[in-house]
């Protein structure tokens, strides 16, 4: 514990020079703007910023990305409150009560609540990040090929189950991602798979161009395909957060912070599920559930605390297991690898300082959102009023140059365009993007560890389901699938009502 | 898109998934198993793609059965709208046709951003009687983007632009 505090103090001091703090300010501000503009998501922002920070020192580049991530998730609440359009998918729950408050002339208070909730949520997540990453890292040292195989599959299945409204489509998207990760030289024998004689395909699809396409270009197409009227913004009251709100809603803050952090740790689920789950839990616990959706402060506080607590939560499995907790965390993980930082079970052994560097980065980002949340209310409103038709062609230019800049090859630009079109089409047919992205990220882990496991067991599948951690992961995967089978679900419901004597849950 | 895709759309997609998964499985099955190198057969390169392809076929069949049970009816999703088509054509023309094909990057960017803004804002400019001012705004945005991106990437990040 004391070692951790010393490393954290060292990290705080390391980043506390004027130039680095300027980067913190600029990156948080940019994240805030990206998040606030509907159509620009946190994943897209972090992916684009990865390409912009390639030449920076690794720790500064990652600091910029963390600040962009935190800023974007917070910034999305602005358009949710003022326009009833979530700036990022994570802020959809904030629309319900935030916009209702705006209609009542309390947009300022709603923004204050959003700032309070976001800051408190991130702080709760930061504490969890500092405390649980070493614990999870230690547990992960016990993982072998069998466990890592299940972990990769678990991520795709859970993400597919929870991120869309149709689990089957989520799993299909996830499997497609896993397959796409397999294109190119296989990681064991360097044999070209599905390259069709193309040297470019033999190198495989690079993660960042694929993500910039699936989240960036697909969004550009979505936004440009719809005609949007110029936004109307209502007048608002004071936006200064009130201490009373923190004191009055401390239970909501604590509950949502814990829920958000926990959902962040679950691979590939992400901020939107964290926000909705926190909102639902707050509604269940509230003495006035009927006010939810009609301008409830409790509801808005829960949604905004939950999604921001998820950000540090999503980074915990990145650092400890090399498995991202959300789509933006997947990009962040790719950026870490590009910058030569190897996350995973060995990080607490080889590079413990980095874990506390990330904790310090998060803290600086939180200070950033608090400062900008208070200072830049009116300028942000001006930015929200810029027509999206003007912004999107410029964003596409950044998608092109960002994809090209990584390896300076045109194939990456074509990859971005291909994945953008694929992402757009899949989304139109209700296939969620998070499991797709997680599949691309985890494909290599699954591929190597399934084959290694089979070699270790000489083709025997028993160790995959009998080793303790494997058995747990296998059980959760199986249960997630079974619960989506109507007959099984109905049988479970019948059993439950029999066990509880007919009372419903 | 706000409404859920119809069962008919799911039916079509299920067939696409079955065909795709089947093709992947076939490709994996017929992939070189590197027997000449005496590798462990459990590390054959086609093993994992084959399993995944089979998984996609199984899920495709479930989607097929589900959509058939739902009547396989409903209206098709209107995927392509005129605005989408214009956006896609402009973006692909820029990303594939202009960038890296001999035209200087700044000029390709200037043309694309100007065309993009002018085309998508045209109705608003015409409705408000500000076509001239609007086109000038588009040109300024395009010039600013071309100059800014070129300067930042070429001079600061030292990226050789396409």
């Amino acid at each position: 514990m004391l070692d951790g505090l010393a490393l954290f103090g060292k990290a705080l001091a390391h980043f506390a020079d004027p130039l680095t703090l300027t980067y913190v300010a600029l990156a948080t501000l940019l994240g805030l703007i990206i998040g606030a503009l509907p159509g620009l998501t946190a994943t897209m922002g972090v992916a684009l910023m990865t390409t912009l920070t390639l030449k920076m020192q690794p720790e500064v580049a990652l600091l910029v990305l963390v600040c962009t991530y935190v800023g974007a998730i917070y910034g999305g609440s602005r358009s949710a409150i003022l326009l009833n359009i979530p700036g990022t998918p994570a802020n959809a729950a904030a629309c319900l009560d935030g916009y209702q408050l705006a209609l009542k002339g309390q947009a300022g208070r709603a923004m204050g609540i959003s700032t309070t909730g976001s800051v408190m949520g991130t702080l709760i997540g930061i504490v969890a990040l500092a405390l649980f990453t070493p614990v999870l890292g230690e547990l992960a040292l016990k993982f072998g090929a069998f466990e890592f195989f299940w972990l990769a599959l678990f991520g795709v299945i859970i993400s597919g189950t929870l991120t869309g409204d149709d689990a089957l489509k989520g799993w299909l998207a996830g499997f497609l991602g896993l397959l796409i990760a397999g294109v190119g030289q296989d990681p064991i024998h360097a044999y070209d798979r599905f390259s069709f004689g193309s040297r470019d395909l033999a190198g495989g699809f690079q993660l960042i161009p694929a993500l910039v396409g699936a989240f960036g270009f697909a969004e550009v197409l979505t936004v440009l395909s719809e005609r949007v009227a110029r936004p109307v913004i209502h007048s608002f009251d004071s936006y200064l957060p009130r201490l009373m709100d923190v004191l009055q809603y401390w239970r909501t803050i604590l509950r949502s912070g814990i829920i958000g952090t926990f959902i962040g740790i679950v691979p590939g689920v992400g901020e939107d599920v964290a926000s909705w789950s926190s909102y639902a839990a707050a509604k269940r616990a509230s003495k006035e559930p009927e006010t939810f959706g009609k301008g409830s402060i409790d509801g808005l506080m829960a949604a905004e605390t939950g999604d921001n607590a998820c950000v540090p939560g999503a980074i915990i499995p990145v650092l400890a297991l090399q498995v991202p907790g959300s789509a933006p965390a997947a990009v962040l993980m790719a950026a870490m690898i590009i910058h030569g930082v190897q996350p995973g079970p060995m990080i607490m052994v080889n590079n413990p300082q980095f874990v506390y560097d990330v904790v310090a980065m998060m803290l600086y980002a939180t200070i950033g959102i608090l400062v900008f949340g208070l200072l830049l209310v009116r300028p942000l409103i001006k930015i929200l009023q810029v027509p999206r038709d003007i912004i999107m062609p410029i964003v596409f230019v950044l998608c092109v140059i960002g994809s090209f800049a990584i390896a300076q090859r045109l194939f990456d630009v074509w990859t971005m365009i291909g994945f953008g079109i694929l992402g757009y089409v899949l989304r139109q047919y209700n296939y969620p993007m998070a499991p797709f992205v997680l599949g691309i990220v985890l494909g290599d882990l699954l591929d190597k560890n399934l084959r290694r496991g089979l070699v270790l067991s000489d083709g025997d599948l028993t160790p995959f389901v009998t080793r303790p951690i494997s058995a747990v992961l296998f059980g959760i995967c199986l249960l997630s699938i079974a619960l989506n089978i109507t007959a099984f679900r109905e049988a479970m419901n019948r059993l439950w009502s029999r066990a509880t004597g007919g009372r419903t849950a | 898109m706000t409404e859920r895709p119809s069962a008919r759309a799911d039916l079509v997609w299920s067939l696409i998934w079955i065909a795709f998964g089947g093709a992947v499985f076939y490709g994996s099955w017929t992939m070189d198993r590197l027997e000449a190198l005496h590798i462990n057969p459990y590390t054959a390169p086609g093993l994992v793609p084959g399993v995944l392809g089979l998984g996609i076929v199984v899920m495709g069949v479930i989607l097929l059965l589900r959509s058939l049970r739902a009547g396989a009816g409903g209206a098709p999703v209107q995927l392509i709208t005129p605005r989408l088509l214009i956006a896609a054509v402009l973006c692909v023309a820029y990303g594939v046709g202009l960038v890296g094909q001999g035209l200087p990057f700044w000029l390709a960017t200037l043309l694309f951003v100007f065309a993009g803004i002018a085309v998508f804002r045209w109705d608003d400019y015409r409705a408000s009687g500000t076509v001239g001012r609007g086109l000038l705004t588009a040109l300024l945005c395009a010039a600013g983007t071309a100059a800014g991106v070129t300067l930042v990437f070429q001079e600061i990040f030292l990226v050789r632009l396409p």
Side-chain angles (χ1 to χ4, degrees):
Chain A
M1 178 69 94
L2 284 178
D3 286 348
L5 273 177
L7 292 173
F8 176 57
K10 195 174 157 193
L12 275 182
H14 177 65
F15 292 124
D17 70 89
L19 183 64
T20 313
L21 292 178
T22 310
Y23 281 130
V24 169
L26 289 175
T28 312
L29 179 61
L30 195 69
L32 231 152
I33 294 171
I34 288 171
L37 288 169
L40 303 187
T41 61
T43 314
M44 178 190 190
V46 180
L48 280 178
M49 288 305 286
T50 301
T51 64
L52 278 169
T53 52
L54 280 176
K55 305 274 173 177
M56 287 181 174
Q57 288 293 315
E59 72 270 19
V60 178
L62 295 170
L63 172 74
V64 167
L65 299 182
V66 166
C67 291
T68 308
Y69 184 7
V70 175
I73 297 294
Y74 165 65
S77 64
R78 289 296 149 104
S79 45
I81 292 165
L82 296 169
L83 306 177
N84 200 22
I85 306 168
T88 71
N91 309 100
C95 284
L96 296 181
D97 291 299
Y99 188 66
Q100 289 300 321
L101 284 166
L103 290 179
K104 292 175 186 167
Q106 294 184 45
R109 184 167 186 213
M111 285 189 273
I113 293 289
S114 145
T115 306
T116 310
S118 300
V119 169
M120 298 305 289
T122 317
L123 288 175
I124 293 171
I126 288 174
V127 173
L129 177 66
L131 293 179
F132 295 143
T133 308
V135 178
L136 195 60
E138 202 156 309
L139 179 72
L141 287 173
K142 297 191 177 94
F143 281 28
F146 308 102
E147 287 78 14
F148 275 113
F149 161 73
W150 280 119
L151 191 66
L153 198 63
F154 167 81
V156 170
I157 288 187
I158 293 291
S159 176
T161 307
L162 296 181
T163 53
D165 54 4
D166 187 340
L168 183 62
K169 291 185 176 179
W171 301 332
L172 275 163
F175 269 53
L176 181 64
L178 290 170
L179 261 179
I180 284 169
V183 172
Q185 290 196 334
D186 95 283
I188 296 181
H189 302 295
Y191 178 82
D192 288 356
R193 295 187 294 200
F194 303 111
S195 62
F196 306 106
S198 156
R199 263 180 30 200
D200 286 324
L201 276 178
F205 295 111
Q206 296 300 305
L207 184 63
I208 297 290
L211 292 181
V212 169
F215 285 93
F217 182 33
E219 284 292 349
V220 170
L221 287 178
T222 307
V223 172
L224 287 179
S225 66
E226 295 160 358
R227 210 175 137 69
V228 184
R230 205 178 174 88
V232 179
I233 292 174
H234 305 273
S235 60
F236 51 85
D237 51 336
S238 167
Y239 44 81
L240 290 176
R242 303 175 190 180
L243 184 64
M244 269 309 289
D245 289 332
V246 180
L247 298 176
Q248 192 179 345
Y249 296 104
W250 70 270
R251 280 192 188 86
T252 303
I253 291 172
L254 194 63
R255 185 193 320 109
S256 308
I258 293 169
I259 293 174
T261 307
F262 175 74
I263 288 176
I265 297 173
V266 178
V269 178
E271 292 80 13
D272 43 348
V273 178
S275 174
W276 283 114
S277 306
S278 306
Y279 186 83
K283 192 175 178 181
R284 266 198 306 273
S286 172
K287 287 176 187 150
E288 301 168 317
E290 68 283 356
T291 59
F292 278 63
K294 294 172 189 161
S296 162
I297 300 288
D298 208 4
L300 180 62
M301 185 72 93
E304 282 304 294
T305 309
D307 61 6
N308 277 275
C310 183
V311 176
I315 296 177
I316 295 173
V318 167
L319 294 173
L321 300 167
Q322 209 183 340
V323 172
S326 68
V331 189
L332 193 64
M333 189 177 99
M336 285 178 190
I337 295 167
I338 288 172
H339 283 288
V341 177
Q342 192 61 47
M346 292 302 287
I347 198 159
M348 283 311 292
V349 178
N350 295 336
N351 194 4
Q353 178 65 57
F354 181 72
V355 173
Y356 295 97
D357 283 354
V358 175
V359 177
M361 290 172 191
M362 279 280 165
L363 191 64
Y364 280 116
T366 311
I367 296 168
I369 60 170
L370 180 62
V371 172
F372 288 127
L374 298 178
L375 297 182
L376 291 179
V377 172
R378 288 179 200 281
L380 265 175
I381 288 169
K382 289 272 173 240
I383 292 169
L384 277 180
Q385 287 175 315
V386 176
R388 287 192 266 167
D389 306 339
I390 291 180
I391 295 170
M392 285 303 158
I394 300 170
V395 169
F396 184 69
V397 170
L398 292 176
C399 291
V400 168
I401 189 65
S403 304
F404 180 80
I406 294 173
Q408 306 196 9
R409 58 177 192 163
L410 280 173
F411 179 71
D412 289 335
V413 176
W414 305 336
T415 299
M416 181 274 294
I417 290 174
F419 275 81
I421 293 171
L422 179 69
Y424 176 82
V425 174
L426 286 174
R427 268 200 261 184
Q428 296 304 302
Y429 288 96
N430 218 17
Y431 290 89
M433 280 295 98
F436 176 64
V437 167
L438 205 69
I440 300 177
V441 174
L442 297 178
D444 186 56
L445 192 73
L446 180 134
D447 187 357
K448 275 194 291 201
N449 287 294
L450 175 60
R451 290 192 282 163
R452 275 182 193 154
L454 285 171
V455 171
L456 288 171
S457 66
D458 198 23
D460 181 10
L461 293 174
T462 324
F464 282 93
V465 290
T466 52
R467 288 164 61 102
I469 299 171
S470 290
V472 171
L473 292 171
F474 166 69
I476 299 173
C477 289
L478 204 65
L479 195 66
S480 304
I481 295 169
L483 283 173
N484 281 284
I485 298 169
T486 316
F488 180 82
R489 209 172 42 234
E490 283 171 359
M492 290 301 287
N493 282 340
R494 271 199 302 275
L495 269 176
W496 176 256
S497 49
R498 205 172 298 163
T500 55
R503 279 179 285 120
T504 49
Chain B
M1 202 188 66
T2 49
E3 75 271 27
R4 283 174 70 88
S6 64
R8 192 164 79 177
D10 283 351
L11 178 81
V12 174
W13 268 97
S14 71
L15 297 176
I16 294 172
W17 287 119
I18 293 168
F20 173 71
V24 170
F25 181 74
Y26 175 77
S28 309
W29 186 261
T30 53
M31 198 177 278
D32 193 343
R33 293 175 196 175
L34 307 178
E35 281 147 338
L37 298 176
H38 303 293
I39 64 158
N40 186 313
Y42 296 117
T43 64
L47 180 85
V48 174
V51 172
L52 293 172
L54 204 61
I56 287 180
V57 171
V58 171
M59 288 188 274
V61 170
I62 296 171
L63 188 63
L64 174 75
L65 295 174
R66 199 179 74 177
S67 60
L68 285 175
R69 212 167 45 197
V77 171
Q78 200 201 347
L79 187 65
I80 298 173
T81 60
R83 279 179 71 93
L84 172 72
L85 201 63
I86 295 169
V89 167
L90 272 176
C91 291
V92 174
Y94 170 65
V96 179
L98 290 181
V99 171
Q101 305 301 326
L103 204 64
F105 180 78
W106 66 266
L107 184 56
T109 301
L110 188 138
L111 290 174
F112 167 72
V113 177
F114 174 72
I117 297 174
V119 167
F120 287 106
R121 300 285 306 149
W122 182 256
D123 287 347
D124 291 311
Y125 293 151
R126 224 174 44 174
S128 57
T130 55
V131 171
R133 213 177 109 195
L135 291 181
L136 186 66
T137 310
L139 189 64
L140 287 175
C141 287
T145 308
V149 169
T150 306
L151 190 76
V152 168
F153 279 88
Q154 196 161 274
E155 305 303 327
I156 300 176
F157 295 129
L158 305 175
V159 172
R160 183 185 55 83
L161 292 173

